[in-house]
Amino acid sequence: MTSTASAPAKVILFGEHFVVYGVGAILCSIDRRVSVSASATGGKKIRISSEMGDATMGLRPEPGEAPHAAPVAFVAREMIRRFGHAGGLDIDIRSEVPPGAGLGSSSACCVAAAAAVSGLFARLPKDEILEIATRAERTILAGASGADGAACTYGGIITYDVKRGAQKLTAAPGIRIIVANSGEAHSTAEMVSRAGLFREENPGVFGELCRKESGLVRRAGDALRAGDARSLGREMSENQSYLERIGVSGRRLREIIGIADMTGYGSKITGAGGGGCIISAAAGRDVAKTMDALRGCGCECFETGIGSRGLDTFLTD
Ligand code: MEV
């Protein structure tokens, strides 16, 4: 029997980095997915195969294991222990999401892996899948807020904070989001520690930015509910100025944002920053103009519907 699960990628519309320190954020799933298939084997090995390479490992963690496979290996070992499985696992990962671009490829992978592997033994509720996926993500980013995994699990548009978790947000139709990839890979862990250092060295400024971000997230929620792309774009630009202040932007990202803002309503980095993607709010005919301009400066870009379906699971013989 093979158990398969697919989870969507996500964008953070508002609140990255500040969410780690308890501020609310708004995220949504997008139309790109990671799909994971799992089957039980007789041997005492876990085999993980993906575009990043194949890794075979034992049932207990050993030094020198492939770091890219660590979160999925964590999920596999956790499920083997939880369900008392006597053998090993074969896990195949297929992804439409570029890694290291701020679109949650690793979160979607952890969520889909937790659902696919657990599906071999039981049908776990989404909250439990998310809990295991978040612990898996924390093997590579100890302070992860859990926001990305929540968006990949539940899908749609959510508000998220570390105390209350995810709440559904219903947006009016009409808002369109352009995602443009700077082509510069980034390290989430490095950017999170950069933001942490800024906070340590500038506690007053950081506290004030957190306060402003909370108000901004409330206004952005209103703009989404009203389908008001112009206000949404304005809040994105404001959010970007806070992200610039804490040092998680970069020259190339600023250049792309400048280009998007010539025809779009406002834009910002999405995810950890330092590279990866930006998002831009747009509507109507301006979408095509903005995309042309972004492609003209060498960015791979796409328009996405916001709020695609969340985690899906199915079994095959
Ligand atoms: C990374 O996609 C989002 C951050 O806010 C980190 C986190 O929430 O764990 C930078």
Side-chain angles (χ1 to χ4, degrees):
M1 184 173 67
T2 302
S3 166
T4 301
S6 100
K10 60 82 204 164
V11 292
I12 302 186
L13 294 172
F14 298 94
E16 51 274 271
H17 289 291
F18 299 104
V19 68
V20 173
Y21 301 98
V23 176
I26 304 180
L27 299 92
C28 70
S29 53
I30 61 171
D31 312 327
R32 304 242 164 153
R33 301 183 76 84
V34 175
S35 169
V36 177
S37 294
S39 49
T41 60
K44 304 261 182 214
K45 292 279 176 209
I46 298 165
R47 192 189 61 80
I48 299 170
S49 135
S50 74
E51 280 145 19
M52 294 169 98
D54 282 5
T56 302
M57 47 195 83
L59 300 188
R60 287 180 194 287
E62 284 155 23
E65 289 182 345
H68 72 267
V72 174
F74 173 90
V75 167
R77 289 176 178 131
E78 184 65 21
M79 295 303 180
I80 287 172
R81 191 192 56 75
R82 183 175 181 143
F83 293 106
H85 173 50
L89 291 167
D90 261 4
I91 299 174
D92 281 303
I93 302 165
R94 275 155 218 258
S95 178
E96 301 167 347
V97 189
L103 300 180
S105 72
S106 147
S107 302
C109 184
C110 288
V111 168
V117 177
S118 64
L120 290 168
F121 309 106
R123 204 172 163 78
L124 296 186
K126 282 190 175 174
D127 294 2
E128 276 183 52
I129 304 271
L130 174 58
E131 192 262 323
I132 293 157
T134 305
R135 280 168 49 216
E137 275 217 87
R138 288 185 178 145
T139 62
I140 46 171
L141 182 63
S145 67
D148 293 6
C152 301
T153 302
Y154 302 117
I157 307 175
I158 58 164
T159 59
Y160 181 91
D161 72 62
V162 282
K163 277 216 185 99
R164 278 175 301 179
Q167 319 276 326
K168 192 175 164 54
L169 190 155
T170 305
I175 292 176
R176 296 162 79 179
I177 300 287
I178 296 165
V179 181
N181 192 343
S182 68
E184 290 179 333
H186 68 177
S187 152
T188 299
E190 216 176 289
M191 300 318 291
V192 168
S193 71
R194 187 182 293 186
L197 193 65
F198 179 91
R199 175 174 175 262
E200 241 173 77
E201 290 173 351
N202 308 275
V205 179
F206 194 84
E208 179 59 12
L209 289 174
C210 284
R211 200 187 56 71
K212 286 180 159 177
E213 182 77 31
S214 292
L216 185 153
V217 165
R218 263 195 308 278
R219 293 194 300 277
D222 292 342
L224 280 163
R225 279 183 279 268
D228 180 351
R230 272 182 204 280
S231 300
L232 195 77
R234 201 175 47 239
E235 302 302 353
M236 280 186 185
S237 298
E238 179 72 19
N239 197 160
Q240 178 61 19
S241 71
Y242 306 165
L243 294 164
E244 292 283 355
R245 187 76 183 84
I246 65 172
V248 296
S249 186
R251 202 168 55 80
R252 172 75 173 149
L253 292 167
R254 273 192 291 280
E255 179 195 7
I256 301 169
I257 284 171
I259 288 165
D261 287 351
M262 277 155 54
T263 44
Y265 296 147
S267 46
K268 61 181 274 295
I269 61 169
T270 184
C277 291
I278 66 134
I279 51 171
S280 174
R285 281 203 304 271
D286 290 340
V287 172
K289 278 194 214 151
T290 308
M291 301 245 297
D292 281 350
L294 286 164
R295 286 196 180 112
C297 82
C299 284
E300 192 200 318
C301 68
F302 61 94
E303 189 210 334
T304 178
I306 54 177
S308 61
R309 73 186 190 283
L311 176 65
D312 260 351
T313 47
F314 45 94
L315 291 173
T316 46
D317 282 335

